[in-house]
Amino acid sequence: MSSNETDTIPAGNYFFRITFSIQKAGQISGSYSETAGNPITLYLFNGPQLAAYRAGENSSRMFATSGITGTYSASVFSPGDYYLVLEHGAAYSNQAQNVQLSWTLDGMNPVWLALGISVLIVGVILSSLGYLKRRGASPPPSATDVIMFDKPKPEGTPPNQGP
């Protein structure tokens, strides 16, 4: 899943947030560009990290970058809600900032992958058992398919004469 959008960080002590409900392991990545050429800060948080950020605590984060333009990428290892947060760059909180943002959710679903591999393995086992059973059920070649000859007599032996 992916998107390209223009978002606004309102003037004042505000931030802009996008919520991702992730159902499988994978990666969140993308790029950003502030349209007026002023810096912003971009964070990627999980739920507890966002709660700490909102409370004003110095929280850990999955990813952080600052600048006028840039890219971001972080791996997601478990299902849940993840948050992309855009905040004003230093000294720009008194004005609204518009940001061109693209994001992509990429990944694999371990449950479906394991199920697919399991079905494949079961199919190979059943095919092998069917082949072995069919091979064991084949009758041996019949004796009528064999042609028998008498052993030739050595040369110089007189033919058998009757009594």
Side-chain angles (χ1 to χ4, degrees):
M1 178 175 12
S2 64
S3 178
N4 290 309
E5 54 192 77
T6 300
D7 300 310
T8 301
I9 308 168
N13 191 21
Y14 294 102
F15 62 88
F16 182 83
R17 179 185 74 210
I18 298 174
T19 302
F20 300 102
S21 292
I22 307 294
Q23 303 300 319
K24 56 187 175 181
Q27 187 165 3
I28 300 172
S29 61
S31 62
Y32 68 93
S33 175
E34 204 279 343
T35 58
N38 300 319
I40 64 160
T41 301
L42 179 141
Y43 300 105
L44 189 60
F45 295 122
N46 61 23
Q49 292 167 340
L50 178 67
Y53 170 81
R54 291 180 79 175
E57 299 172 9
N58 189 8
S59 67
S60 62
R61 52 205 166 260
M62 297 174 63
F63 186 88
T65 187
S66 294
I68 299 167
T69 64
T71 60
Y72 58 93
S73 179
S75 296
V76 177
F77 298 107
S78 61
D81 288 339
Y82 294 86
Y83 307 92
L84 187 63
V85 173
L86 306 171
E87 74 175 17
H88 294 285
Y92 291 96
S93 63
N94 61 346
Q95 64 187 31
Q97 289 184 277
N98 295 317
V99 181
Q100 285 292 122
L101 184 68
S102 70
W103 53 265
T104 301
L105 296 178
D106 244 351
M108 62 168 199
N109 189 331
V111 172
W112 286 109
L113 180 62
L115 181 64
I117 290 172
S118 299
V119 167
L120 179 65
I121 290 171
V122 168
V124 168
I125 290 171
L126 291 176
S127 294
S128 297
L129 290 174
Y131 172 76
L132 291 174
K133 183 176 180 181
R134 184 173 161 215
R135 194 175 116 201
S138 301
S142 68
T144 58
D145 293 342
V146 178
I147 299 174
M148 301 183 80
F149 295 97
D150 287 334
K151 184 176 179 182
K153 295 183 182 184
E155 287 188 34
T157 307
N160 284 343
Q161 308 237 338

